[in-house]
Amino acid sequence: MSYPRVKGSVLNIAAVALLLLVSLISYAAFTNMEKETDRIMLDTIPVTNAVQSLLTDVLNEETGVRAYVARNNRSFLDPYYLGQISLNRNVEYLTNNADRISPNLGPILERKLVPSLEVLKRYFEDQIALVDSGKIEDARGRINAGKTDMDQFRSIHNELLLLIGEDTRSAGSQMKKAADQTRLIIMVSGLLAIAVGVVSIIVFGRAGRAEAALRVSEEKYRLTAETLEAHNEEILAQQEEQEATLLKLTEREQELEWITSYQEKLTGFMQLEPFLRGTVPALLEALELDAALVLLREPEEDGFRVVYSIGYPSNAYPRLERELYGSAGRALETREPLRVRRTLTEREKGLHASFEQATDWYVPLLDDKQEMIGFLLLTLYGAGELHDALKERLLWGLTRQFGLAFFAQLVNEERHKQSERLKELNAELGNEKELIRGIVESSHEGILMAGLDGTALVANSRIGDYFGWENTLGTGMLRLFRQLEQGAGTPLSLVEPVKEFLAGETDSVSLRFPFRRAEGLRYLELYATPVRGRDGGVRGYLFVFRDRSEEERVDEMKNEFISIVSHELRTPLASVLGFVEILLNREVAPDKRKRYLQTIYDEANRLSTLINDFLDLQRMESGQQVYHYEPVEWNALVREVAEQWKGRPTHEIRLHVPGDSLVVRGDPDRLRQLLHNVISNAVKYSPGADRVDLYLEREGDHAVLRVQDYGLGIPEEAKDKMFTKFYRVDNTDRRQIGGTGLGLAICKEIAEAHDGSLRFESEMGAGTTFFLDLPLYREEGVGGSLVILEDDVNLSHLMAEAVGRLGLPVVKFRAAEEALRALSAQGGAPARLWIVDIMLEGKKSGWDFLAALSRHPRHGATPVIVSTALDQPAHYYETEAERYLKKPFTMERLLEVVRELLEKEPKETIVFPARNEQEVVRILRENGIGFEELKAGEDTVEVKLKRTEPEEG
């Protein structure tokens, strides 16, 4: 064998060996990268899936437990038990492979994750136990505690995800490094191959005989290069696959973040509206959609109501849809989600001019019985679909979570409303109880309520006041009535009728009986009746005790009154009949006849006074007593009455009156009656005295009259009853004194009707002083004022408020006498305007006042508005200074007339419609109106009034 051939062979062998070595190195690098890739795929992906499943498992547990707490239905615990099984399996897998996956994973699992899961497990088990034991409200109250534990778990779960992500990125870096090493080895191998080729060409060029072998080696080299290139392409494909896997892991991680973030937004709401405002926009953001709408079934309105809308044009959908059709109807019938492509409406194109198409997703919202309670409409504007299947899957998953949370929110809100309504009902019940208790306590009767067994259940405070019982509740009624029977002091049986009533033998009980206590004898009336429910069944027994002591006393006084009245009537009647009989049957001397007739007259007056007292008292008690109020010269009236009592043989009336005039507002006749009664009492009850003193004094803005006698005085025990009807002091010294016991009662009524008071001070054996206190009349000037003469206080106040807007002072009178007194004031300026009612408090009417006003020299030209409910008289005619307003009229109309009269200058003429001139003269003279001349026209008669010049001085 030649040297070149041997050399070529050696070189060929070396080249082949070198190429084989390069192939082995490339294969080893590829195998190492493939193992590393397989390890990452086998280790990282299962661990990532297990960690991601932890949150899903815990959320399933939480959803099942919350649904069980909300609905109290154990079928809702299925997700809880399934999540618990999956959770245990995933935790066991992570625990067993922690050391192989990452050195940091084991400590996190042992120190954080497992304790957090134990806390959640105990919370879930406690919630289930509370619901199982019927403590649902306690379980609902602990929901916020579970949310805190969930937040802690999510924090640990995010830490695990970050750790796995870091390990995944580290593994990816290692894979990239292995790929770079493989590329380097292949490049080196290529360079070596090129070098070997060059050497071979040189060798084959020098050794022609080795050309064939070199060609074979070259072919081998070519095949080896192709193999290496195929290996390189396979490595690149594996790298792309690993990058795609890493991208999927990243997307899955982002998806889990979206799910976690959205689930956090589904909790913590108490009302539906904040829930929708917080969750629907977050759903659109997570799914990258444009609009959403939530419809809720309204059974009461037989339709679906839009409860929330975002992203659509305003009023694009009706607030209430009676019937669902089209895609919404299909979703309603199938109860399955539905996706629909459609063309944009014109209003939607206004917002999205570049879009022609839109995609709608109809998602049914179901309750726990899988019945449709509404649906969720989602819209994406534009021709494209969702980005990928991941988003489509995420859409259905998130909307399912939204549906469950929506139903739970509805349930919670309904329970919250029920709870609030229950609180309101409890409050109403409490108020009703308090009202009933207040009614029972405010009753003037003693009330006892007994149960079916005859024991006292309810008693008001009157029962204790009547009988001195401190605590009657729980005591048998028969026992209580035995105590009453013992204190009744009467042979009347109380126990037997009550016993028969409680046994159902009688329908009711009605008894009257006395009951003696330390403070005296009390007369009571009992009536009892069963308390029945709506079904008519007896629920208990009501016993009502009414105090009749006052009635007994009044009956006693009435009997005494009848006796007194009989005496008071028979005595004068006997005298009248006796003297009349004498005058009829005998001839008597003229002086005796006169004396007999005087006696008959006096006794008749006595009877008349007695009858008038009865009638006055009856009118006062019925509110029919009529008072004619006017300014009264109190000094003069007191002096007048005192003068009438002078000349009595037994008593001297001494009068002490101040020099200045005291004027009160009152009815002169009634005040005169009051004075006579008080003076009469003073004379009658001072039989041993010889005088009665009357003192009239001014005390501030009141006039006080003291009527002082020096007689018997009033006993202490009788002072509280002196103004009681028919009451007369029971005393031997007073039995010979006549009277009905009505005088002081009438006097007190009169005094109070005049806004005054009547009281007395008395000392036994020293006499009695009566004090009559009346408010003084306040004189008011009318100069420059708007004057209202109206007896209705409310209407007068209303008119004053209305005309007061004109900025003028307003003066009010209720009687013509008051207004006339104001007119007669010396030097008083005229009023700006009078508003005069016709029916007034005093004896004079508005016409009387108007007649006096028209004749007055200073006030006659003052404008007048006649305000009355009466029709306009036939002989009355309006003038430019006088208007007639018939009630009712509006305050605007009154103001209009007032302004009209105030703006006009008063004229001295009256215009009558055409009529007989003699009739006009008669009308003027009847009303006391003077005139200078009459001018008769075709349709009218104009009268020029005669003005009276003011008197000098």
Side-chain angles (χ1 to χ4, degrees), residues 13 49 72 113 156 191 194 258 390 410 523 530 635-636 649 672 741 758 781 796 916 941 949:
I13 293 171
N49 290 336
N72 194 15
L113 181 64
I156 298 171
L191 291 175
I194 292 172
W258 284 340
L390 169 65
L410 289 179
Y523 295 90
N635 313 53
R672 191 177 288 110
L758 181 65
S796 176
N916 188 289
V941 175
E949 296 298 328

Side-chain angles (χ1 to χ4, degrees), residues 255 258-263 266 282-287 363 376 378 391-405:
E255 180 182 353
W258 284 340
I259 293 174
T260 302
S261 174
Y262 187 65
Q263 286 176 337
L266 290 176
L283 182 63
L284 294 180
E285 182 180 358
L287 297 175
V363 183
L376 171 67
L378 302 172
K391 283 296 180 71
E392 186 81 15
R393 185 173 66 253
L394 183 62
L395 183 145
W396 301 125
L398 292 183
T399 54
R400 190 177 300 110
Q401 293 290 331
F402 173 82
L404 292 173

Side-chain angles (χ1 to χ4, degrees), residues 693-758:
D693 287 314
L694 275 64
Y695 299 90
L696 181 59
E697 299 171 343
R698 180 194 295 268
E699 293 186 5
D701 56 354
H702 283 246
V704 179
L705 175 65
R706 290 186 291 128
V707 180
Q708 183 174 2
D709 67 57
Y710 306 92
L712 302 175
I714 300 172
E716 194 67 31
E717 65 274 9
K719 289 183 177 180
D720 294 338
K721 305 172 185 177
M722 287 303 297
F723 295 110
T724 305
K725 298 184 294 291
F726 310 127
Y727 181 77
R728 300 178 75 244
V729 178
D730 187 10
N731 188 291
T732 305
D733 297 333
R734 292 170 171 82
R735 288 179 181 173
Q736 302 302 321
I737 301 174
T740 61
L742 294 178
L744 287 180
I746 293 173
C747 290
K748 187 173 180 65
E749 289 281 353
I750 295 174
E752 292 178 351
H754 286 75
D755 297 326
S757 64
L758 181 65

Side-chain angles (χ1 to χ4, degrees), residues 422-485:
L422 184 60
K423 290 180 181 178
E424 292 177 1
L425 291 176
N426 287 334
E428 290 177 4
L429 181 60
N431 292 337
E432 289 180 0
K433 287 183 178 179
E434 288 298 323
L435 177 61
I436 292 173
R437 185 179 294 109
I439 292 173
V440 171
E441 285 296 328
S442 61
S443 173
H444 293 288
E445 288 81 18
I447 297 176
L448 263 177
M449 176 73 180
L452 293 176
D453 58 352
T455 58
L457 301 178
V458 178
N460 66 353
S461 57
R462 293 280 180 182
I463 294 294
D465 295 341
Y466 287 170
F467 309 118
W469 295 335
E470 295 183 358
N471 188 10
T472 58
L473 303 184
T475 306
M477 297 302 297
L478 295 180
R479 178 181 173 186
L480 293 176
F481 276 94
R482 287 192 187 96
Q483 296 179 22
L484 291 180
E485 194 173 280

Side-chain angles (χ1 to χ4, degrees), residues 509-526:
V509 176
S510 181
L511 297 171
R512 291 185 177 183
F513 61 94
F515 185 79
R516 187 174 300 279
R517 293 193 61 190
E519 60 270 19
L521 191 64
R522 188 188 295 270
Y523 295 90
L524 298 171
E525 180 178 4
L526 163 69

Side-chain angles (χ1 to χ4, degrees), residues 844-873:
K844 294 184 178 182
S845 69
W847 295 122
D848 298 324
F849 170 76
L850 291 173
L853 178 66
S854 67
R855 294 191 297 268
H856 199 280
R858 291 192 308 275
H859 300 270
T862 306
V864 174
I865 297 175
V866 179
S867 161
T868 179
L870 303 176
D871 292 330
Q872 182 172 334

